[in-house]
Amino acid sequence: MSTLPQKESRASTACPGPASTQDLGSSCDNGPERECSRKPDQKLYAVGDASAIFSSGSSYLSSRGSIIKWFWDSAQEGYRTYHMDKYDEDKNPSGIINLGTSENKLCFDLLSRRLSQSDMLQIEPSLLQYADWRGHQFLREELAKFLSFYCKSPAPLKPENVVVLNGSTSLFSALATVLCEAGEAFLIPTPYYGAITEHVYVYGKVRLVYVYLDSKVTGPDTRPFQLTVEKLEIALQGAHSEGVKVKGLILINPQNPLGDIYSPGELQEYLEFAKRHKLHVVMDEVYMLSVFEESAAYSSVLGLERLPDPQRTHVMWSTSKDFGMSGVRFGTLYTENQDVAVAVATLCCYHGLSGLVQYQLAQLLRDHDWINQVYLPENHARLKAAHTYVSKELRALRIPFLNRGAGFFIWADLRKYLSKGTFEEEMLLWRRFLDNKVLLSSGKAFECIEPGWFRFIFADNAHQLRLGMQRVRQVLEGKSQVAEDPPSSQTQEPSSQPR
Amino acid sequence: MSTLPQKESRASTACPGPASTQDLGSSCDNGPERECSRKPDQKLYAVGDASAIFSSGSSYLSSRGSIIKWFWDSAQEGYRTYHMDKYDEDKNPSGIINLGTSENKLCFDLLSRRLSQSDMLQIEPSLLQYADWRGHQFLREELAKFLSFYCKSPAPLKPENVVVLNGSTSLFSALATVLCEAGEAFLIPTPYYGAITEHVYVYGKVRLVYVYLDSKVTGPDTRPFQLTVEKLEIALQGAHSEGVKVKGLILINPQNPLGDIYSPGELQEYLEFAKRHKLHVVMDEVYMLSVFEESAAYSSVLGLERLPDPQRTHVMWSTSKDFGMSGVRFGTLYTENQDVAVAVATLCCYHGLSGLVQYQLAQLLRDHDWINQVYLPENHARLKAAHTYVSKELRALRIPFLNRGAGFFIWADLRKYLSKGTFEEEMLLWRRFLDNKVLLSSGKAFECIEPGWFRFIFADNAHQLRLGMQRVRQVLEGKSQVAEDPPSSQTQEPSSQPR
């Protein structure tokens, strides 16, 4: 296959530095930890290679078909185990608790009541027939109003800039394909929601250039894993020097897995950087309404007074996270660039969603009373309570973590549990959690450069959280009933997990 | 872009032969017509080139992004006109009647009643959350039962062989990608539903090798446009001789646009041919329940006693045609090959459909009483009545056509209206229809080798059919109010129309 990315240039095991103490920033809870000392030749970026991980083929599939199948097989490693042995309070109380998949399971009662109302089931000929691939006009109008309101846009957003798809996974695939040639790349700060690697590669054959952030607060940084324009510049120049053409920058805000929220000033800097280099900016804002801490002020790029390069700024949002409906498969693109909107819309015949669902979404999103008075306040209160509980548990274990007020996750520093500080150890720890019936996501799945970080999902009900954290504690305190060193045949690394 | 197909080897204007009379087979209505005499060097196949049609780019898009956008722009030529000036009995009685898009608009009343029943709106946590990308187990079980029953499979079909997607467009894209490398090809007999060109190319960069069928009944043929193994062999060897690697064969049964139904014997021959050459067979059976003529016996490949090469036989079905719900975006793959099923399922994170819709589909498809006693009998009766009406109109105009008992379309021979028998004339005629407010699909959109064929969709209500056929008659009798030669700036060819 001529379009495969080049071999990855980053070593898979990094940062085996000596133990010491490290400050994780003002909003981070402290505890005993090790510093990840950086060697002088430590790379600050890397060109990813989604295909390098792949090994075996099938005689019935094309080479790319085999790579695609590999993504399934590898993702299944943790999830197959989980799905075969899912926790159920009554039927399988010793089953696996999932603190790995980023879903909000706290508000099903609210959603169920709203979605069951009689205004939701509407059957009209136009909903059953072929429609505009950009999405039904009524939904695009509703989305323009919705985003204008919740993103606090300085002027009303326009329906003609809205494209509707079946999820933001599809949107990553479509944008990668229409913005980049095969083999070209997007910059992305790490750690990041790792499935993006797959989404831009599988159909688009687009690579990611990692902008490595780490937990050390140095130079102008004010917090761990801080993104700066300097780091972006270094990665961009580095990629160019390796002959990799970078076409854009992917930013996630609020950030997954860090929970960081970029300030308007930071956003402006990143966008100016992109404009200087004529880079597209793909802004993933799928957690924008999941900011549960009142003191955490969120700014959408759509709310900025002036976009530096509106023709190259493309915003994605979805109901998967903010409305806890990842199974409904809805995502949307907002872009002023009509070439991009039309090209993505053309791909929507592969990423379309049912007219019936488009109708339901329009009904839901136009109900600002319910959203503002019922759903968001209750959702935020529940997220906050769940976050408080898991934070307390982590503090009790003296585990440092980033204490943010957005998203469904806590980015926690388990480096003190790795004796040598390698990704092999991180993976063994991940497996010990799984063997003790709790599924987590380890830092490697987010291309974190420091081994030992884990993402804890807290947007689940209190009982499951309690049980999950109990099992985590058992493993970390060495009290779990499972072997510390599982057979090497089981040591495949988790990846490609749903976010 | 390194993966572009080679330049198309077929001339765009073919068959400028002298006028004569031609028999279109026993089931074809006769009338004055011209024979398309084939020159000795007339090609029997061609390697398609989806990119050759493309001209201009956008500075914001990749080269493939520009090609993708081109598909939109070109498809919009007829459809933009149509959508801006859609016929409405009350609001826009002089608007355009659409006899071009293959949709069944005859049964909305039945569907609306069934889909509005209270069993259709079910909200469960599992429907709102991430699910198995192959589709919910309950739907795959229902589909296995449904296909076993309606395809008359000799043994029960299995849920593990079922993959659920958002439409058969997506399935073409996914199968092309996992079965072929970029630049490889599928064989396809022409005329065929032309959008397949786009579906296998846009993401997959897979080409089509056309197996040209024509209206002349020669040699062992018993009907016009008859597919034989000999023609398949010639095209396959021809493609190989041009260095094009063919990986599979696409068959549409019932055929779109011909309405032909392959007999079990024919199917067996095509499948044996494919097995001999280790070709995958993609069987598009999306019209399998739209056989409205009782004498027309339909056989699904899933009903064959024995599949020659089950690991390379992949069947697609959808509710878009048979249940008149193209806007619901549902398609399914049935394959015994687990490598293919898993690879396609991996791509389903870009082609997934809402859990809520999966639930509704399962409710609908399990209701065999309604399907057998209400929906299918009434649907078939209405299709037959509409077909009878359009047939009568065509006979009155002495237009020959293929008189089949399946699908929503009549393949009609308007060659007598082309004085020179060129595709330019065909396109001008298409435009005269559009200018007289009736949208049709011309043969070029189906890669028909003979200029002058048109597809008439009849699955619409009586009033619109009457008006549409009246407008067709006006054009053909030279009584329309529009100019015969529109300005050359408007002569872009229609393509990429929804089927």
Side-chain angles (χ1 to χ4, degrees), chain B residues 235-246:
Chain B
L236 179 63
Q237 300 317 324
H240 281 178
S241 71
E242 293 189 30
V244 175
K245 186 154 186 187
V246 174

Side-chain angles (χ1 to χ4, degrees), chain A residues 4-308:
Chain A
L4 281 183
Q6 292 164 10
K7 186 81 188 148
E8 187 168 5
S9 56
R10 179 173 61 85
S12 66
T13 57
C15 290
S20 82
T21 309
Q22 176 195 12
D23 178 29
L24 287 187
S26 57
S27 60
C28 180
D29 285 56
N30 290 314
E33 55 201 3
R34 72 172 46 250
E35 181 175 357
C36 175
S37 75
R38 176 165 285 173
K39 296 178 199 159
D41 62 346
Q42 178 73 52
K43 292 198 80 164
L44 298 173
Y45 74 95
V47 179
D49 181 357
S51 71
I53 39 184
F54 164 71
S55 53
S56 70
S58 156
S59 62
Y60 294 106
L61 301 176
S62 59
S63 60
R64 58 188 180 180
S66 294
I67 293 173
I68 288 165
K69 179 172 174 288
W70 178 90
F71 279 111
W72 178 279
D73 294 338
S74 65
Q76 292 302 302
E77 210 255 327
Y79 282 87
R80 193 161 36 214
T81 314
Y82 166 62
H83 280 289
M84 287 186 322
D85 186 22
K86 224 168 171 170
Y87 173 83
D88 184 285
E89 192 167 351
D90 302 318
K91 293 180 208 144
N92 191 20
S94 66
I96 297 169
I97 302 268
N98 182 356
L99 304 183
T101 306
S102 185
E103 288 193 291
N104 184 348
K105 296 177 179 170
L106 293 170
C107 292
F108 175 71
D109 55 332
L110 307 177
L111 289 164
S112 174
R113 272 202 295 279
R114 183 62 192 88
L115 293 172
S116 301
Q117 284 178 23
S118 61
D119 65 335
M120 284 292 166
L121 190 59
Q122 176 80 4
I123 313 290
E124 287 170 14
S126 64
L127 300 178
L128 297 185
Q129 293 166 5
Y130 284 120
D132 191 330
W133 288 117
R134 291 172 300 177
H136 279 282
Q137 180 68 16
F138 62 78
L139 178 55
R140 291 189 294 128
E141 282 172 8
E142 216 47 66
L143 279 163
K145 284 184 213 158
F146 180 90
L147 293 173
S148 298
F149 182 80
Y150 288 102
C151 299
K152 302 185 184 68
S153 67
L157 301 174
K158 296 173 184 168
E160 59 265 35
N161 298 340
V162 174
V163 182
V164 168
L165 304 92
N166 66 339
S168 54
T169 53
S170 300
L171 188 46
F172 273 117
S173 176
L175 282 173
T177 302
V178 307
L179 299 179
C180 307
E181 311 297 345
E184 292 182 343
F186 285 113
L187 288 179
I188 193 163
T190 79
Y192 69 95
Y193 160 53
I196 294 174
T197 310
E198 181 178 344
H199 300 333
V200 300
Y201 179 76
V202 161
Y203 269 130
K205 299 285 175 288
V206 168
R207 293 188 277 178
L208 296 177
V209 171
Y210 308 134
V211 184
Y212 286 127
L213 309 181
D214 62 37
S215 62
K216 218 169 162 188
V217 180
T218 54
D221 293 356
T222 59
R223 61 179 191 268
F225 299 103
Q226 185 166 352
L227 179 64
T228 63
V229 168
E230 189 196 356
K231 294 173 190 174
L232 288 168
E233 293 279 6
I234 290 171
L236 179 63
Q237 300 318 324
H240 281 177
S241 71
E242 293 189 30
V244 175
K245 186 154 186 187
V246 174
K247 276 299 197 47
L249 164 66
I250 297 174
L251 293 175
I252 309 170
N253 187 32
Q255 217 274 354
N256 174 5
L258 300 175
D260 273 355
I261 293 173
Y262 299 129
S263 71
E266 286 173 325
L267 284 174
Q268 203 76 40
E269 281 179 28
Y270 307 148
L271 294 173
E272 292 287 356
F273 155 81
K275 184 183 183 182
R276 274 199 302 282
H277 297 284
K278 290 195 176 172
L279 298 180
H280 291 273
V281 178
V282 176
M283 282 297 315
D284 176 348
E285 301 194 349
V286 299
Y287 290 97
M288 75 169 181
L289 296 181
S290 300
V291 181
F292 53 86
E293 198 63 71
E294 276 172 37
S295 61
Y298 177 73
S299 302
S300 164
V301 288
L302 294 176
L304 295 178
E305 203 50 53
R306 191 189 61 80
L307 280 177

